[in-house]
């Protein structure tokens, strides 16, 4: 039971007496209703009144009264439906008969008055009974009438028509019926019945209308009402001591509002009660008190949800309370109409703020469905109020309710004091739980945990499941690291896969190199590779063997991801070992083991692997003093050079061998690179005469100039080199590499080389030249005789007649018959054979193929005579340069030759003779 005396009173309504409309000359007078008003109701934009003379009055918003005569004697009850323009009235036309119920359609007119659609007696039979109360269901299918004899008549069906409705007595009793109300919940319809001694409920949507008695207490007339959905459509009964609320199946809460209740009304979530102070029971005065009693009456407006009195005022003899046009109207017996206008929500809140009633303001705002921004502002003001009073715990709770609306910095600044750090922690925790924290908030919260040394809270914060993380993980790791909470930072980094932070803390702060290496080994391939490149030097310095083994795995092993034995390397993906070589700085032993492993397991390793391995082997060979070990290292280096891995890096390998004075390696690379002169110069510098000759014998065929260089080398030596000079001269003579004069000039520089050294060479050379001269003279003689013969033949063709003595055709070999065709080449043809086989009318068909070959050769020589580069190359590479010059001279490279292939039209016989002369010359050249 709620204690009424504890409820605060407010003036949330403004009271004003209704006045008539102002005329042109100024303000209007007070509105006075006609005397004798007995009942009233409201709805559909009008206030409706019934008087004791049988008239029904309408007061619209324009305040222009209108009326019509509804009954001959009096109007006793009115009910205006809210969703339909239907007015139901009860009144009397004659004394001593049952009251009549009339249903009016306000939208239709009959002679200027509303149309009466139905008239029927209030109770069946002829027994006159006084009607005490009336209610109609908004769906127009139910109407209930209560009587003073305790009976209730229910009309079911269309209440506006006689033929579509059925009337029956629903309830009978010995106590007057004081209140009726329909309750519709879904498809279920209930009827609450209140008498002076009991409260009952009928279920009208079930057959036989089952009844349930809810209470043995009753109420007076006008002292019951039905609440709206905000109070779950409860039936409210105002007794003298308490106000009771009823559900269809049970009694609900009650409120101890003292005083004799005269009127109960529900308005927009408020319970309006008119009462008077004197203690008289309505049971003895069933009508709710003497109408002529002029005692002051108190009107209270209760907010049952928020438990305060929204308004309280004193009125003189209230007739009824009406609600229309967004206002409450109080009708008093003197005909005055008083309007109670509810203040707006913001005004009510400001009134509560002035009294520091923030909790009540919050409840009020929620009941008025204020938006979240408005609620947040109330919470802020409430928090400020509590903060100023020193109630920091309460203040922070209110500030927490502003999260999402109020800028967090507004709150944080207030609680930065060390003594209030626990309040700040609570606020920041909630900020993170709502995922509204930024990096600065995370930093501040973690610092609060460390200041408070609240390890449990810290662990709870960072060990939330990944789907519930409400903070920036990287920021949290940084803060924990700065605060020295390395274990928590490492946990957070590992859980959320911040690999770089995990390794940085393990290596730089905790110095746990072994664990860091194992962690890298569990990472996916890409992360393992990048982290090894970044932290490899540190790990190699502290755990060299384990680091080397991990690099071997990373660069060679291919297996599916996630087997837990090392970095997950996808199929076909391997790290490049060349990129990890800088990690092994100052760890040459591990580097050599790594590179040798790579060369064995992965022969197709990058070139840098083999270059570095060669350099390491040469360094070891160069610094080794043990002959047996040195020999072994020598063989390993040579074996690596001969592996064929340095074809693309020849220069680098050669520089390495030269830097470490690795002679055999240098010579091998010279040989592989065909640097024969460098090989010979190497032996010359070391004055290894036999090696010089051997180099010439091995590579002289590929590079003949080696013999010339060898001869010049021995010629400049003052030592006795006759044996070597003789061997060189023998090969020069065999290959005809140098002219004899140049040989003599070269050996002239050597004081030890006497004539006897080159005697045999010179004699042999002179004999060969003599034989060559004899052969050349024989050829010259032969060419002279051939030339003489050809010239003679040309002269005969020019000056002597040609006798054609051929008797057979050169084509068909048949005897010649006229007409025939004869050519100077001594071929003759039948004319028909010539015309059939000849391709040209001026050329012999038999000689044509051979002539064409000659002409093609001439054309080819003409095309090639401008190929100077080819001529120079052949001249340089040939052993006999003179023959090359003679060959190109014969091709016409050094002269200009004009070719005439076809005889122009109109060419004379002299032209034919000149052409024949040219053909003979060509034939002579070809034969020579």
């Amino acid at each position: 039971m709620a204690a009424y005396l504890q409820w605060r009173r407010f003036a949330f309504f403004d009271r004003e007496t209704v006045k008539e409309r102002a005329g042109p000359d100024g303000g209007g007078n007070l509105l006075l209703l006609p005397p004798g008003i007995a009942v009233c109701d409201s709805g559909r934009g009008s206030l409706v009144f019934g008087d004791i003379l049988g008239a029904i009055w309408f007061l619209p918003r324009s305040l222009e009264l209108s009326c019509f005569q509804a009954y001959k004697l009096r109007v006793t009850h009115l009910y205006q439906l809210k969703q339909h323009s239907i007015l139901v009235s009860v009144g009397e036309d004659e004394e001593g008969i049952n009251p009549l119920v009339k249903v009016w359609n306000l939208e239709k007119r009959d002679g200027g008055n509303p149309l009466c659609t139905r008239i029927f007696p209030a109770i069946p039979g002829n027994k006159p009974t006084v009607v005490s109360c009336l209610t109609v269901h908004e769906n127009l299918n139910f109407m209930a009438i209560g009587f003073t004899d305790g009976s209730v008549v229910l009309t079911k069906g269309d209440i506006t028509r006689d033929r579509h409705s059925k009337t029956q007595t629903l309830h009978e009793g010995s106590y007057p019926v004081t209140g009726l109300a329909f309750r519709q919940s879904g498809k279920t319809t209930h009827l609450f019945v209140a008498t002076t001694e009991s409260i009952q409920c009928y279920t009208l949507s079930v057959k036989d209308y089952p009844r349930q008695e809810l209470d043995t207490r009753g109420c007076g007339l006008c002292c019951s009402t039905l609440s709206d959905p905000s109070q779950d459509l409860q039936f409210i009964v105002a007794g003298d001591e308490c106000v009771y609320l009823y559900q269809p199946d049970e009694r609900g809460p009650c409120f101890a509002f003292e005083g004799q209740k005269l009127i109960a009304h529900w308005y927009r979530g408020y319970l309006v009660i008119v009462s008077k102070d004197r203690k008289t029971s309505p049971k003895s005065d069933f009508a709710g008190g003497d109408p002529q009693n002029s005692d002051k009456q108190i009107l209270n407006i209760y907010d049952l949800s928020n438990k305060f009195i929204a308004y309280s005022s004193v009125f003189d003899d209230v007739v009824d309370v009406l609600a229309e046009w967004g206002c409450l109207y109080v009708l008093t017996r003197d005909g005055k109409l008083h309007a109670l206008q509810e203040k707006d929500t913001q005004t009510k809140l400001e009134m509560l703020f002035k009294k520091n009633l923030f909790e009540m303001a919050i409840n009020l705002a929620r009941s008025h469905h204020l938006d979240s921004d408005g609620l947040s502002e109330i919470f802020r003001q409430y928090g400020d109020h509590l903060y100023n009073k020193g109630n920091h715990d309460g203040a922070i709770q209110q500030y927490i309710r502003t999260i999402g609306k109020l800028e967090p910095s507004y709150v944080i600044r207030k609680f930065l004091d060390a003594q209030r750090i626990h309040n700040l922690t609570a606020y920041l925790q909630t900020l993170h739980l709502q995922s509204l924290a930024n990096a600065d908030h995370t930093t501040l919260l973690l610092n609060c945990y460390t200041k408070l040394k609240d390890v449990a809270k810290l662990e709870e914060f960072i060990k939330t499941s990944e789907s519930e993380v409400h903070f920036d993980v990287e920021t949290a790791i940084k803060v924990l690291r700065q605060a020295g909470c390395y274990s928590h930072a490492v946990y957070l980094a590992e859980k959320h896969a911040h690999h770089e932070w995990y390794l940085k803390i393990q290596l730089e702060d905790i110095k746990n190199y072994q664990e860091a290496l194992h962690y890298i080994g569990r990472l996916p391939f890409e992360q393992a590779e990048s982290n090894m490149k970044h932290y490899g030097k540190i790990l190699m310095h502290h755990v060299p063997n384990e680091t080397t083994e991990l690099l071997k795995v990373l660069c060679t092993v291919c297996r599916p991801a996630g087997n837990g034995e090392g970095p997950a390397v996808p199929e076909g993906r391997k790290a490049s070992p060349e990129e990890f070589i800088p990690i092994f700085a100052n760890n040459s032993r591990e580097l050599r083991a790594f590179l040798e492993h790579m060369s064995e397991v992965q022969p197709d390793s990058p070139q840098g692997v083999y270059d570095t391995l060669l350099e390491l082997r040469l360094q070891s060979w160069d610094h080794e003093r043990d002959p047996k070990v040195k020999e072994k290292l020598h063989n390993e280096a040579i074996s690596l050079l001969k592996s064929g891995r340095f074809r693309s890096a020849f220069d680098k390998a050669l520089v390495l061998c030269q830097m470490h004075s690795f002679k055999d390696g240098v010579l091998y690379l010279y040989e592989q690179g065909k640097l024969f002169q460098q090989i010979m110069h190497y032996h010359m510098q070391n004055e290894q005469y036999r090696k010089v000759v051997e180099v010439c014998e091995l590579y002289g065929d590929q590079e003949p100039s080696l013999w010339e260089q060898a001869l010049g080398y021995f010629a400049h030596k003052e030592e006795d080199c006759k044996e070597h000079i003789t061997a060189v001269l023998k090969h020069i003579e065999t290959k005809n590499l140098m002219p004899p004069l140049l040989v003599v000039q070269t050996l002239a520089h050597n004081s030890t080389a006497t004539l006897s050294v080159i005697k045999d060479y010179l004699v042999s050379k002179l004999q060969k030249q003599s034989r060559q001269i004899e052969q050349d003279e024989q050829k010259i003689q032969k060419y002279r005789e051939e030339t003489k013969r050809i010239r003679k033949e040309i002269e005969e063709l020019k000056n002597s007649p040609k006798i054609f003595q051929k008797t057979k055709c050169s084509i068909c070999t048949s005897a010649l018959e006229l007409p025939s065709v004869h050519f100077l080449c001594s071929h003759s043809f039948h004319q028909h054979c010539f015309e059939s086989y000849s391709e040209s009318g001026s050329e012999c068909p038999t000689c044509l193929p051979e002539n064409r070959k000659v002409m093609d050769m001439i054309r080819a020589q003409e095309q090639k005579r401008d190929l100077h580069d080819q001529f120079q190359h052949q001249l340089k590479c040939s052993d006999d340069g003179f023959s090359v010059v003679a060959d190109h001279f014969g091709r016409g490279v050094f002269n200009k030759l004009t070719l005439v292939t076809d005889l122009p039209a109109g060419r004379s016989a002299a032209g034919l003779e000149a052409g024949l002369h040219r053909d003979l010359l060509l034939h002579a050249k070809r034969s020579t």
Side-chain angles (χ1 to χ4, degrees):
M1 179 179 293
Y4 161 74
L5 295 177
Q6 296 178 355
W7 286 24
R8 289 181 174 268
R9 295 175 181 268
F10 300 98
F12 286 165
F13 286 78
D14 293 323
R15 176 175 172 176
E16 182 181 2
T17 303
V18 179
K19 296 181 180 181
E20 295 178 348
R21 292 287 181 181
D25 55 347
N29 299 320
L30 289 177
L31 176 66
L32 294 177
L33 296 176
I37 297 296
V39 293
C40 57
D41 202 357
S42 63
R44 308 298 293 176
S46 296
L47 303 182
V48 185
F49 307 99
D51 61 17
I52 58 177
L53 299 178
I56 295 179
W57 297 78
F58 293 95
L59 180 67
R61 194 159 195 177
S62 61
L63 302 182
E64 296 177 358
L65 274 170
S66 63
C67 72
F68 72 95
Q69 192 70 34
Y71 295 92
K72 296 178 180 179
L73 291 183
R74 66 181 66 86
V75 180
T76 60
H77 294 84
L78 291 175
Y79 191 94
Q80 172 66 58
L81 277 79
K82 305 299 184 287
Q83 300 177 13
H84 303 276
S85 295
I86 300 296
L87 175 65
V88 180
S89 64
V90 179
E92 298 176 5
D93 280 342
E94 296 180 18
E95 291 285 357
I97 66 170
N98 285 337
L100 292 179
V101 179
K102 296 184 179 182
V103 180
W104 307 90
N105 188 335
L106 304 180
E107 292 180 346
K108 297 180 180 180
R109 294 288 168 174
D110 181 14
N113 298 328
L115 176 64
C116 181
T117 63
R118 184 181 180 187
I119 303 174
F120 62 94
I123 190 168
N126 296 319
K127 180 182 179 181
T129 307
V130 177
V131 175
S132 59
C133 53
L134 167 70
T135 185
V136 182
H137 198 292
E138 287 293 333
N139 62 11
L140 300 178
N141 287 326
F142 292 103
M143 179 169 61
I145 304 174
F147 298 89
T148 56
D149 64 357
S151 61
V152 175
V153 173
L154 176 68
T155 301
K156 182 179 180 183
D158 189 352
I159 66 169
T160 63
R161 298 182 181 180
D162 291 328
R163 290 183 298 175
H164 297 88
S165 62
K166 180 180 178 182
T167 302
Q168 67 182 84
T169 301
L170 178 67
H171 172 80
E172 291 183 348
S174 57
Y175 297 101
V177 177
T178 58
L180 296 171
F182 286 108
R183 180 184 190 271
Q184 187 71 41
S185 177
K187 295 183 178 181
T188 304
T189 305
H190 295 95
L191 175 63
F192 289 100
V193 178
T195 69
T196 56
E197 296 295 334
S198 65
I199 306 295
Q200 302 176 49
C201 179
Y202 288 87
T203 305
L204 303 183
S205 54
V206 180
K207 187 178 179 181
D208 297 333
Y209 308 146
R211 177 179 67 89
Q212 179 161 353
E213 186 170 354
L214 302 177
D215 204 343
T216 57
R217 299 182 183 88
C219 65
L221 276 175
C222 302
C223 292
S224 63
T225 185
L226 191 72
S227 69
D228 59 18
S230 66
Q231 284 291 334
D232 198 20
L233 298 174
Q234 296 185 89
F235 188 57
I236 302 175
V237 175
D240 287 346
E241 302 298 331
C242 295
V243 173
Y244 301 93
L245 278 65
Y246 297 93
Q247 293 283 356
D249 54 352
E250 63 179 355
R251 193 180 80 178
C254 65
F255 300 89
F257 300 150
E258 296 181 353
Q260 180 184 351
K261 312 301 188 299
L262 302 177
I263 298 173
H265 186 81
W266 188 265
Y267 169 73
R268 288 188 177 182
Y270 294 108
L271 176 61
V272 182
I273 291 181
V274 178
S275 61
K276 55 183 178 179
D277 292 333
R278 61 191 182 91
K279 309 296 184 182
T280 59
S281 173
K283 298 177 184 178
S284 59
D285 190 357
F286 147 74
D290 184 5
Q292 303 302 323
N293 195 341
S294 60
D295 289 349
K296 297 293 184 182
Q297 298 173 354
I298 301 174
L299 182 142
N300 290 319
I301 301 178
Y302 299 96
D303 188 329
L304 300 183
S305 299
N306 300 314
K307 294 185 173 51
F308 63 81
I309 301 175
Y311 183 76
S312 183
S313 181
V314 176
F315 290 88
D316 292 330
D317 204 357
V318 176
V319 175
D320 206 348
V321 178
L322 306 173
E324 192 65 26
W325 312 314
C327 291
L328 269 178
Y329 291 92
V330 180
L331 175 62
T332 55
R333 192 69 62 185
D334 57 6
K336 295 180 181 178
L337 196 62
H338 305 272
L340 299 180
Q341 177 69 48
E342 185 178 9
K343 299 179 186 291
D344 62 84
T345 303
Q346 190 59 41
T347 302
K348 291 189 285 186
L349 291 176
E350 290 176 358
M351 294 171 64
L352 294 174
F353 294 156
K354 290 179 181 179
K355 298 182 178 181
N356 295 326
L357 299 175
F358 294 98
E359 286 287 353
M360 192 171 289
I362 293 169
N363 296 331
L364 179 67
R366 285 175 173 167
S367 63
H368 283 66
H369 306 290
L370 197 66
D371 60 14
S372 56
D373 291 335
L375 280 172
S376 177
E377 176 60 21
I378 299 174
F379 295 142
R380 183 196 65 79
Q381 294 189 36
Y382 191 15
D384 291 347
H385 170 69
L386 295 175
Y387 182 86
N388 293 330
K389 290 177 62 178
N391 185 1
H392 300 125
D393 294 340
I396 204 65
Q397 294 304 316
Q398 298 307 317
Y399 288 135
I400 286 174
R401 299 164 81 176
T402 67
I403 290 177
K405 300 295 181 180
L406 181 63
E407 177 62 36
S409 59
Y410 177 86
V411 180
I412 293 172
R413 284 196 299 265
K414 292 178 175 289
F415 293 90
L416 287 177
D417 191 285
Q419 296 178 352
R420 302 167 193 166
I421 195 170
H422 63 282
N423 299 126
L424 180 60
T425 304
Y427 179 81
L428 293 172
Q429 281 177 339
T430 310
L431 199 64
H432 282 81
L433 287 175
Q434 297 187 19
S435 301
L436 296 174
N438 57 29
D440 294 333
H441 300 149
T442 302
T443 303
L444 189 56
L445 177 58
L446 292 173
N447 283 326
C448 289
Y449 284 142
T450 55
K451 293 287 185 183
L452 294 172
K453 298 181 180 180
D454 194 343
V455 178
K457 282 285 187 181
L458 177 60
E459 291 183 352
E460 180 185 352
F461 179 74
I462 68 173
K463 292 184 179 181
T464 54
S465 63
E466 192 165 346
S467 61
E468 299 176 354
V469 174
H470 305 287
F471 57 89
D472 183 71
V473 176
E474 186 172 356
T475 301
I477 294 172
K478 290 180 183 178
V479 175
L480 291 171
R481 186 188 182 200
Q482 293 173 355
C485 301
Y486 301 127
S487 60
H488 294 89
V490 165
Y491 169 83
L492 210 54
E494 182 177 10
K495 179 181 177 181
H496 297 280
H498 286 259
H499 309 309
E500 292 187 4
W501 280 108
Y502 179 91
L503 294 172
K504 187 178 291 187
I505 296 169
Q506 287 282 19
L507 296 174
E508 298 177 7
D509 301 321
I510 304 178
K511 311 290 186 186
N512 192 343
Y513 306 104
Q514 197 74 40
E515 183 60 35
L517 190 63
H518 290 163
Y519 183 82
I520 294 176
R522 298 192 301 269
L523 293 178
F525 170 73
E526 290 80 4
Q527 285 88 351
E529 181 184 23
S530 61
N531 282 295
M532 280 304 296
K533 291 177 183 178
H534 192 267
Y535 299 106
K537 288 185 179 180
I538 300 175
L539 294 170
M540 183 61 67
H541 179 70
H542 293 90
V543 280
N545 295 330
E546 293 83 352
T547 304
T548 304
E549 291 302 317
L550 179 58
L551 289 175
K552 290 179 182 178
V553 172
L554 198 61
C555 296
T556 58
V557 176
C558 288
R559 63 175 178 280
N563 61 2
E565 298 179 0
V569 185
E571 190 69 27
R573 291 291 304 276
K574 299 177 184 178
S576 174
E578 190 175 9
E579 297 178 354
F580 294 108
I581 291 176
I583 291 175
F584 291 89
N586 303 321
N587 293 82
S588 58
R589 180 174 61 85
E590 286 77 12
L591 176 59
R592 181 172 177 179
F594 172 70
L595 296 177
E596 287 179 350
H597 173 81
M598 294 305 304
S599 64
E600 294 172 4
V601 176
Q602 190 173 311
D604 59 343
S605 295
Q607 184 61 41
V609 172
Y610 292 97
D611 293 343
T612 309
L613 181 57
L614 176 62
E615 183 176 2
L616 289 173
R617 288 184 176 179
L618 292 177
Q619 286 178 354
S620 302
W621 173 84
D622 194 16
H623 294 90
E624 186 57 53
R625 294 293 175 261
D626 188 343
K628 293 183 179 180
V629 179
K630 195 176 185 71
E631 180 64 22
K632 179 182 177 182
L633 294 173
H634 176 276
N635 295 335
E636 290 177 354
I638 289 295
S639 175
L640 184 59
L641 288 173
K642 291 182 178 180
S643 65
R645 298 293 176 183
F646 295 94
R647 293 188 182 94
S648 60
F650 173 82
D651 295 340
K652 189 171 184 179
L654 183 59
V655 169
L656 290 173
C657 292
Q658 290 173 344
M659 286 173 56
H660 297 89
S661 302
F662 190 57
K663 178 184 70 174
D664 292 345
V666 172
L667 294 176
Y668 173 77
L669 292 173
Y670 281 160
E671 181 181 355
Q672 294 299 307
K674 299 185 183 302
L675 302 176
F676 307 128
Q677 293 189 11
Q678 280 79 353
I679 297 175
M680 191 169 68
H681 289 162
Y682 180 84
H683 293 306
M684 288 178 178
Q685 290 174 359
N686 293 284
E687 297 185 350
Q688 296 174 340
Y689 303 146
R690 173 55 56 189
K691 291 288 186 180
V692 172
V693 176
E694 289 178 358
V695 170
C696 292
E697 291 173 348
L698 289 173
Y699 312 117
D701 293 340
Q702 302 180 52
E703 192 165 350
S705 62
L706 292 176
W707 292 103
E708 300 175 17
Q709 295 180 23
L711 183 62
Y713 171 72
F714 290 125
H716 285 81
K717 289 295 180 183
E718 297 298 328
E719 303 174 10
D720 187 3
C721 300
K722 293 180 180 181
E723 178 184 357
H724 306 299
I725 292 175
T726 301
V728 173
L729 286 175
K730 182 179 180 181
H731 193 84
I732 290 175
E733 179 186 357
T734 304
K735 298 292 184 179
N736 194 21
L737 299 177
M738 296 176 65
L741 183 59
L742 184 57
V743 172
V744 173
Q745 290 176 349
T746 300
L747 292 175
H749 298 286
N750 193 333
S751 59
T752 61
T754 59
L755 186 60
S756 61
V757 176
I758 60 173
K759 175 183 177 182
D760 295 338
Y761 166 76
L762 292 175
V763 170
S764 175
K765 197 67 177 176
L766 290 174
Q767 290 175 351
K768 286 183 179 181
Q769 289 185 354
S770 297
R771 288 193 294 271
Q772 184 67 36
I773 290 171
E774 291 177 1
Q775 294 174 1
D776 292 343
E777 287 178 350
Q778 291 175 2
K779 288 184 178 180
I780 291 171
Q781 185 62 31
K782 178 182 176 182
Y783 291 153
R784 283 176 178 174
E785 292 175 356
E786 183 70 19
T787 303
K788 185 177 180 182
R789 182 183 65 78
I790 292 173
R791 284 178 178 173
K792 182 179 178 181
E793 187 176 345
I794 293 172
E795 189 66 27
E796 288 177 354
L797 290 171
K798 284 182 177 182
N799 301 318
S800 300
K802 177 69 175 178
I803 300 174
F804 299 103
Q805 297 177 344
K806 296 282 287 190
T807 58
K808 292 184 179 182
C809 176
S810 298
I811 294 177
C812 65
T813 67
S814 300
L816 280 174
E817 296 177 356
L818 295 175
S820 58
V821 179
H822 302 277
F823 284 92
L824 293 177
C825 59
S826 300
H827 293 112
S828 300
F829 308 93
H830 292 114
Q831 184 175 359
H832 63 85
C833 290
F834 175 76
E835 291 175 352
S836 300
Y837 289 95
S838 176
E839 296 180 8
S840 174
S842 61
E843 294 184 85
C844 172
T846 305
C847 297
L848 182 61
E850 190 66 25
N851 289 341
R852 283 187 174 177
K853 290 182 181 180
V854 175
M855 294 301 294
D856 291 340
M857 292 175 62
I858 294 175
R859 288 190 184 97
Q861 290 178 354
E862 179 70 18
Q863 292 173 357
K864 292 182 179 180
R865 66 183 181 179
D866 293 332
L867 303 178
H868 302 293
D869 293 340
Q870 183 179 356
F871 168 70
Q872 293 290 340
H873 178 72
Q874 292 181 2
L875 185 64
K876 183 178 180 181
C877 298
S878 176
D879 295 337
D880 187 1
F882 184 77
S883 64
V884 175
V885 174
D887 180 57
H888 282 74
F889 185 81
R891 294 180 185 176
V893 173
F894 303 105
N895 65 345
K896 185 72 173 177
L897 181 64
T898 302
L899 300 178
V900 179
T901 57
D902 296 323
L903 181 65
R907 181 79 178 269
S908 63
L912 288 173
E913 208 173 301
L916 178 61
H917 190 197
R918 178 177 60 80
D919 291 341
L920 289 174
L921 284 174
L922 291 174
H923 176 72
K925 287 184 179 181
R926 184 168 60 83
S927 62
T928 56

